[in-house]
Amino acid sequence: MQVPLIRLQCGVNSYEWGKVGHESAAAKFAAATPSNKLSIQQEKPYAELWMGTHPSLPSKDVETQRSLLDMVQDNQALMSTEISKKYDEKLPFLFKVLSIRKALSIQAHPNKKLAEQLHEKDPKNYPDDNHKPEMTIAVTPFDGMCGFRPLKEISHFLSTVSSLRSLIGESAAKDFENAVSGHETSDSEKDVEKNKKALQAAFSTLMKIDKSTIASAAKELVASAEKEGEKFAGGGGPSNGGKELADLVIRLNGQFEGDIGLFVLFFLNYVKLEIGEAMFLKADDIHAYLSGDIIECMASSDNVVRAGFTPKFQDIPTLTTMLTYSYAPISEQKMHPTDYPYVTLNSTAYSSSSSAILYDPPIEEFSVVKTELKKKGAKATFEAIAGPSIFICTNGEGTISVGPKTEEVKAGFVYFVGATAECVLESQSEDFTTFKAFCELSGKESANGTK
């Protein structure tokens, strides 16, 4: 019987926003597994390393070159019968490494029902019928935009950024301010619903403005940012200072001159993640990644509804109608990882402050464990779970063992571990870091919040 430990060869996508050449972690990790299809070109951008069974870029067994999809479909025990049946014999999650040099599109991912409708209507731009909640974990310092700002901040920017107010128009700006004034932070269901409608109206007004008008207003905005510095945008808001916002506007204009995204940023939270920090994005949440290397895990889908910071297909009508229009400070978007309870560290691991940290979003398709073994000989033994796992090493070197089979692990090595298999990681360096994505249905909430 085959031991369910399979080293994977994973593909890397070359999108324009990716880091170039050997600066890209996605490229370096992909190149760690020899392939006649990949030779890193120093001027070429490498954006995403994909680990999973998604047909757009499926992972393969290094030894046999069979796709992981073929293997899990041939042998349901690799994922468990329950997970195989529930997810049509496909891995429930798509695991990625992203290396971001410049802004990704302002985007959201559809919920399951909308994904089915979009795929049926426009399969070219919406290639599958699945939803795509996702989680981001910073591997290097990261910044991005995520979710709508608190309403008081949006009102502040409407009153202090003249080019933004002119774009939206005095009438629409006043309608928003009057609608939310006095109950911006109210928990009342009636107030929240009223606030969301006001936010949708103001945001939709902005998004429907023609490109030439946006480009003209952007020149005024950038000139203000360059001139005003710390005083820009009324000195900023509680979340971001004026200088920080001015620098952001100038930087993004250098990447996408005159783009609507320069104004969208006043509606969205601007977030910075330090290494190890994470955020979770539900389906229908608006976001845009701006820079950094991240581990990303999501439901297995490639559906993106875009509107800004991109030359690709944009679907503004769908975006403005699909969003939740939830608004909150970025602190509520960040995740709070906990110790992973189903791992045993040996004495060397304990004495060196090694750790196994769980990032556990409120959905059933995936969770992620980050393991840091900080001394040679440190060992982490993961209990068997009733679902599949994928491991990637991002730093250091060591070994991975399942039953009698032991394999070497270095930065960029990726392994699939089958369901019900105990797995052991052992460090052969002073800092051995891995990320494990896994699915186990027992006790997890579903994507719609039910058990």
Side-chain angles (χ1 to χ4, degrees), residues 316-352:
I316 289 171
T318 297
L319 184 85
T320 54
T321 54
M322 70 182 276
L323 297 176
T324 62
Y325 291 97
S326 296
Y327 48 90
I330 195 59
S331 58
E332 295 186 22
Q333 301 270 359
K334 288 186 179 181
M335 299 187 70
H336 302 284
T338 58
D339 289 336
Y340 182 57
Y342 304 112
V343 65
T344 301
L345 302 179
N346 69 357
S347 58
T348 304
Y350 272 116
S351 65
S352 58

Side-chain angles (χ1 to χ4, degrees), residues 148-444:
F148 286 100
R149 293 178 179 271
L151 300 179
K152 280 187 177 180
E153 291 189 27
I154 297 173
S155 292
H156 169 78
F157 292 132
L158 281 172
S159 66
T160 58
V161 182
S162 59
S163 52
L164 174 65
R165 193 176 188 91
S166 296
L167 263 185
I168 290 178
E170 188 63 27
S171 176
K174 281 187 174 179
D175 285 348
F176 173 79
E177 292 163 341
N178 292 337
V180 304
S181 180
H183 47 81
E184 295 94 337
T185 58
S186 170
D187 292 330
S188 154
E189 187 175 330
K190 181 180 178 182
D191 287 342
V192 169
E193 193 58 34
K194 183 181 177 184
N195 288 346
K196 285 184 176 182
K197 286 183 178 178
L199 179 55
Q200 180 175 9
F203 185 71
S204 298
T205 297
L206 171 65
M207 297 306 293
K208 292 172 183 175
I209 296 170
D210 66 87
K211 288 186 177 182
S212 61
T213 304
I214 292 286
S216 177
K219 290 180 180 178
E220 179 187 340
L221 178 70
V222 173
S224 296
E226 291 173 338
K227 178 182 178 183
E228 296 172 12
E230 291 180 4
K231 295 180 180 179
F232 179 67
S239 303
N240 312 114
K243 180 69 163 59
E244 183 176 49
L245 289 170
D247 289 346
L248 182 60
V249 166
I250 294 166
R251 172 181 142 205
L252 293 176
N253 187 64
Q255 297 175 7
F256 292 94
E257 185 176 359
D259 193 272
I260 194 169
L262 302 177
F263 295 96
V264 171
L265 69 86
F266 294 105
F267 280 81
L268 305 187
N269 287 302
Y270 175 56
V271 58
K272 292 182 176 180
L273 298 181
E274 297 303 321
I275 295 171
E277 287 192 307
M279 60 184 183
F280 174 65
L281 300 163
K282 301 186 296 292
D284 302 332
D285 272 357
I286 190 168
H287 59 283
Y289 298 160
L290 301 180
S291 71
D293 292 307
I294 60 173
I295 292 285
E296 190 178 47
C297 200
M298 63 199 67
S300 189
S301 170
D302 197 25
N303 285 324
V304 184
V305 183
R306 302 179 184 88
F309 290 153
T310 181
K312 294 182 179 179
F313 171 73
Q314 299 186 36
D315 190 349
I316 289 171
T318 297
L319 184 85
T320 54
T321 54
M322 70 182 276
L323 297 176
T324 62
Y325 291 97
S326 296
Y327 48 90
I330 195 59
S331 58
E332 295 186 22
Q333 301 270 359
K334 288 186 179 181
M335 299 187 70
H336 302 284
T338 58
D339 289 336
Y340 182 57
Y342 304 112
V343 65
T344 301
L345 302 179
N346 69 357
S347 58
T348 304
Y350 272 116
S351 65
S352 58
S353 299
S354 298
S355 61
I357 302 298
L358 173 67
Y359 300 85
D360 195 26
I363 58 167
E364 64 184 8
E365 282 93 339
F366 61 85
S367 302
V368 173
V369 175
K370 178 185 181 182
T371 305
E372 291 183 290
L373 299 178
K374 297 185 177 180
K375 191 173 183 179
K376 188 174 181 179
K379 188 182 294 187
T381 301
F382 290 85
E383 295 178 19
I385 61 171
S389 304
I390 289 181
F391 286 82
I392 181 170
C393 173
T394 57
N395 190 59
E397 55 187 70
T399 59
I400 185 169
S401 303
V402 172
K405 187 175 183 180
T406 297
E407 297 277 357
E408 71 168 341
V409 182
K410 295 181 180 179
F413 283 29
V414 180
Y415 285 91
F416 174 87
V417 175
T420 70
E422 182 182 89
C423 177
V424 181
L425 295 174
E426 183 170 356
S427 179
Q428 294 179 345
S429 62
E430 296 303 306
D431 189 3
F432 178 44
T433 304
T434 63
F435 289 84
K436 165 191 170 178
F438 66 97
C439 176
E440 187 176 34
L441 297 180
S442 176
K444 288 284 288 186

